[in-house]
Amino acid sequence: MGTVIHHCGKVGNGIRTKLVNNYLSVVSCQMNAEVLTLANAYGLDLETTLDVIHGTSATNGQLKLNFATKVLVGDTEAGFTVDLAHKDLTLIVNSANANKVALPIAAVARESLSLARSTPYHALDFSALLDFWCERAGLKKVRFKTQRQ
């Protein structure tokens, strides 16, 4: 799947590292979907809002890289589906529980993805959570006004 190999230590640490990475990625995606849905409801200009976010400590790679090349340009074809994001969050929450580590944000994000999984969004890219939340709020989809390179 990738070209970079990270040796994470003893047997099992690789999958644990993957879970930690996917936890941050999926929760960031959910948060970004909510943030841009709120900006949409406020009637904020997308480009200006992103310029402000990307110029502060609020910026994150999920929003800056993934959203800009996927959902914000209308591409919701699955790269990493909502179903896969839900599966990973379930593994993360279950593993954390087994280790007596509370992850309330992961649990809430998983239940949020459960809502999207009960719709046709389940098979779309997880950045399409933005479209899902805009639809639930009765808002138009958030897209860049001009084609991006």
Side-chain angles (χ1 to χ4, degrees):
M1 291 186 72
T3 57
V4 176
I5 297 173
H6 295 277
H7 296 279
C8 299
K10 66 182 183 178
V11 172
N13 279 1
I15 189 66
R16 291 180 187 103
T17 302
K18 177 186 181 294
L19 290 176
V20 167
N21 182 74
N22 286 7
Y23 173 31
L24 188 56
S25 180
V26 173
V27 171
S28 294
C29 185
Q30 171 63 30
M31 179 187 61
N32 292 330
E34 291 180 23
V35 163
L36 293 181
T37 299
L38 182 61
N40 189 12
Y42 287 164
L44 300 177
D45 178 74
L46 175 61
E47 286 83 1
T48 303
T49 301
L50 289 176
D51 284 346
V52 170
I53 291 170
H54 295 326
T56 70
S57 61
T59 195
N60 62 73
Q62 184 61 250
L63 181 60
K64 195 168 190 172
L65 304 174
N66 188 42
F67 272 53
T69 60
K70 291 295 286 174
V71 69
L72 293 177
V73 294
D75 178 6
T76 57
E77 185 175 322
F80 189 75
T81 65
V82 168
D83 279 340
L84 286 174
H86 183 274
K87 179 220 27 128
D88 276 4
L89 279 180
T90 298
L91 290 171
I92 291 160
V93 169
N94 291 346
S95 176
N97 284 337
N99 286 281
K100 295 182 175 47
V101 175
L103 298 178
I105 292 172
V108 170
R110 181 185 60 183
E111 293 315 304
S112 174
L113 267 68
S114 292
L115 291 172
R117 286 184 73 219
S118 67
T119 73
Y121 285 93
H122 75 96
L124 298 179
D125 189 78
F126 72 139
S127 67
L129 287 168
L130 174 57
D131 291 352
F132 172 75
W133 287 110
C134 283
E135 183 179 293
R136 294 206 29 121
L139 301 167
K140 64 181 172 127
K141 293 178 180 178
V142 178
R143 298 293 187 264
F144 288 123
K145 291 178 189 169
T146 59
Q147 194 71 337
R148 294 277 180 157
Q149 298 296 332

